[in-house]
Amino acid sequence: MARARSAGQRPGAHLFGRGGAAGGERLRALEVLYDVCLRADRCAEITGELEELVAVHPLRERFHEQLMTALHRCGRRAEALSTYDRARPAGP
């Protein structure tokens, strides 16, 4: 069942902060939601949310990818590259 969004509420706000067994499903739902937002050119609206998700789930590569894409499309290329540098594993 789809949830109605109140005015000013973030697209995935009702999915944040949930854990437990369904946590992985919620994270996957957020990934799909942000893919749709990127396709709809709503990049500026989702960068803050993606930054939060990257901080909370640093091993979730898809959030890093989505954040880099959103930042790049908003003209924030230096921040997109910085996100890439943080996501990349430290090498020898």
Side-chain angles (χ1 to χ4, degrees):
M1 175 193 284
R3 285 187 167 204
R5 212 170 34 134
S6 63
Q9 186 180 12
R10 303 182 316 194
H14 65 281
L15 295 173
F16 273 83
R18 309 265 174 117
E25 291 177 24
R26 286 187 181 91
L27 292 175
R28 179 67 188 126
L30 283 170
E31 290 172 349
V32 172
L33 172 68
Y34 294 124
D35 281 338
V36 171
C37 289
L38 287 169
R39 280 191 217 109
D41 201 29
R42 295 175 62 186
C43 305
E45 293 178 41
I46 62 172
T47 54
E49 297 167 37
L50 286 167
E51 287 170 343
E52 288 179 42
L53 285 166
V54 163
V56 174
H57 304 283
L59 300 178
R60 196 87 181 191
E61 292 179 358
R62 185 69 184 125
F63 291 142
H64 288 275
E65 179 184 348
Q66 291 170 322
L67 177 57
M68 288 184 287
T69 301
L71 290 168
H72 177 78
R73 289 182 185 172
C74 287
R76 297 165 59 184
R77 288 169 181 84
E79 291 173 74
L81 288 172
S82 177
T83 299
Y84 173 79
D85 287 337
R86 286 191 312 269
R88 175 173 75 156

